[in-house]
Amino acid sequence: MIGLSVDKVCKSYGQKRVVDNVSFSANTGEILGFLGPNGAGKTTTIRMIMGITAPDEGRIEFLADGAKANGIPRQHIGYLPEERGLYKEARVMNILVFLAGLKNVPKQIAQERAWEWLNKFGLQDYAKSKVEELSKGMAQKVQFIGAVLHKPKIVILDEPFSGLDPVSQDLFKQELKTMAAEGTCVILSSHQMNIMEELCDRIFLIHKGKEVFFGNLVDIKQQYGSYKISLEVQSPDMLERLNSLDCIESFCALSHNKASFSLKDGLGLSGFLAAMPKDLAVQEINASRSSLHDIFVKIAVGAEDEK
Amino acid sequence: MRNDTLKITGWELMRNLRNKQYIISLLITPLIMVLFAGLPRLLEKLDKPSVMKLYLIDGAGVAPQLQQMLPKDEFIFEVKQDKQEVEELVYNEKASGYMIIMPDFYETGKLEYHYNKRNLSAFGAVKASITQILKLQRMSSLQIEPSKLAFLNAEAQIDQIAMEKAAAPKDNAMAVSITFMVLVFFLIFTSGSMLMQSALQERRDRMAEIVLSSIKPHHLMQGKILGHLLLGVIQMSFWIALSLPAVVYLLDFPLLQALSETNIPLMLFFGIAGYLLFSTIYVSIGSTMDDLQSAGNTQSMIMMIPMLSLLFITPIIKNPEGTISKFACIFPLTSPMAMITRSAFSNVPITEVGLSAVVLLASIYVFVRIAAKIFRVGMLMYGKTANFSEMMKWLRYKD
């Protein structure tokens, strides 16, 4: 089994530093969420991991059974880039066998595995079709198959869910969970935060080329997330009293007696309950942690703008 | 890994050999070439029925001889006495014209040629024949015997004998070398442009990143270059196989003798090296463009580089040992074609062949390095065609 270690990696194009001192790791059997706004340096980092470009500084190491692997184990890595493409005039089976061949999978085995995957994704009737005859979703499934046909030990998927219908998304999610359960290290980059929250064990967040956060979901929510509360009170004046509390922000009146707001960073539910006036006649209250989506927006837009 | 290069070569071969465009061009190109080679002859044949009819007011009696010297199905001469009658006949019959040859023609050498329809080649033939008649008549008037006339009229026969046997230019070998040079030119342009399209397609189809995650950029580049070389060789071999029977049996060309007299290793070396040099240019240019229409001035100019050799072909044929010829054989962008051409017309000293080969190989090495740098960055720059300054910047990027 293979894991990945990225250590203090930097990359510049001309005068512009696009990746600045980035470090993270991904373990076997783990799904690591690789997040960042557009232009954050994700693709450049992924390209450095894949050996497509080389870092100016820092080290990228692959760990096989705990020991450092020699170079980039290309035949054990599967990659689905954000910029999608397949040779338009090529036939589906031919292209899958070619991509597997690049990873040293013999033709016969590649064909057998390709049939399995095509059946799994309902594409068995398209094996001899040209890529240009496929729909966008079908082509995306073929690309996904191309990225995993050689049974990689590390899979890097950049926006694998974009353009997929919900049924196909569920199918992809299930496959990723299965791969991770079988010991594959999955690095997943996506802007669909609900899926990331559902799938990822750990998150690495990058912004403007710099590391913002690296840890598990609980930690990121603890560090950046606050509680979102919506509640219903008996009378409108009670909402005004609530709005005057120092511990809340982003107050939004939903109706004459309903409102939603966030608690200030670091304040737990018990702190809020203690600060809440005792005579506030609360009819209904819902409290939830900020979603990954909220945290992402908060970091991407900037805390000041959020306020 | 060399294996990775071969994987790409195999893929390029398989893709193109199954590609309708490639198969059509394989079959259609010889037809087009035959058409172009045969068309002028066909047109000439179709043009034959036009006959030149000339009336003669023949005071010197040249008509019988003139008719004898020129083919009857192309020239008709009719002798008349009256100028006015002749003019009417010419207009009525739409004849080519008439000539007035005065009795003192053999002294003065002057005659009048009145034309209704101008035909320069026919006029040239008439003039040459009449000049010949004039010459013979003048020599005859000097009381020279007919047998001596033929002796006086004979052309010099020059036997060309090279002092060193090896230096003797052999016409058949020359034909083989020139044909080979034309084929190499064709290979560079057809395979080169296919190669450029292939790199461009890799970029346009967004496949580069997937492929480059499995193999190194220079393997992708080398695989493409090798693949298209083989495709070009398949194409050429097919065409040669088609045309060989015609060359050997119809033209009665002594092929085996010609091949034995040709410097085949030299031609193959410079042919393949030439392809490799120019293919690195084409593949790197293809990797900088999003589509053929968006090719900028830089790309268009670079694509024309192989044409440079054409400037030197005539000076090399005229003076194979001249300074221009020697320069063209050393300068790497012209040396492949120049050396093949020069070797057809003279025996190139081994030291010059060696120097040319070394410079060419060194240039290929440098070109491959530059092309690999451009290719590496260019393949991943989606959605735009790079300009010259961007390409220069890429050369400074660290790998």
Side-chain angles (χ1 to χ4, degrees), chain B residues 261-393:
Chain B
E261 292 167 351
T262 310
N263 192 343
I264 293 172
L266 179 139
M267 288 199 315
L268 285 179
F269 172 80
F270 281 95
I272 292 171
Y275 167 80
L276 290 177
L277 183 83
F278 293 119
S279 62
T280 58
I281 296 176
Y282 281 116
V283 77
S284 57
I285 288 300
S287 72
T288 64
M289 292 193 295
D290 222 37
D291 55 65
L292 272 183
Q293 284 72 36
S294 68
N297 286 337
T298 313
Q299 281 95 342
S300 306
M301 279 195 306
I302 293 173
M303 278 186 258
M304 301 307 285
I305 286 176
M307 302 288 280
L308 261 182
S309 307
L310 291 179
L311 297 174
F312 294 92
I313 299 295
T314 310
I316 292 169
I317 292 173
K318 281 188 173 169
N319 187 7
E321 300 305 321
T323 312
I324 292 177
S325 173
K326 285 182 178 175
F327 167 77
C329 286
I330 299 294
F331 185 54
L333 293 175
T334 54
S335 65
M337 302 301 161
M339 192 54 91
I340 294 170
T341 312
R342 190 176 161 199
S343 72
F345 291 89
S346 74
N347 193 23
V348 188
I350 190 75
T351 48
E352 284 185 35
V353 174
L355 178 63
S356 174
V358 169
V359 173
L360 186 57
L361 288 176
S363 305
I364 291 171
Y365 176 77
V366 173
F367 274 55
V368 167
R369 303 266 307 183
I370 293 172
K373 283 226 166 198
I374 293 175
F375 187 81
R376 184 185 188 110
V377 185
M379 289 301 264
L380 299 170
M381 291 278 170
Y382 301 128
K384 65 176 285 210
T385 293
N387 57 35
F388 183 71
S389 60
E390 279 171 315
M391 284 187 250
M392 289 298 105
K393 206 157 66 180

Side-chain angles (χ1 to χ4, degrees), chain B residues 102-139:
Chain B
M102 302 305 281
D104 60 352
F105 166 66
Y106 293 124
E107 281 80 48
T108 62
K110 285 180 181 172
L111 55 84
E112 284 176 19
Y113 173 71
H114 299 255
Y115 60 85
N116 185 25
K117 293 180 214 163
R118 201 165 196 190
N119 182 334
L120 287 177
S121 67
F123 172 74
V126 170
K127 187 183 174 187
S129 300
I130 289 189
T131 307
Q132 182 69 4
I133 293 166
L134 177 67
K135 232 161 91 179
L136 288 170
Q137 182 58 37
R138 283 182 173 175
M139 286 196 273

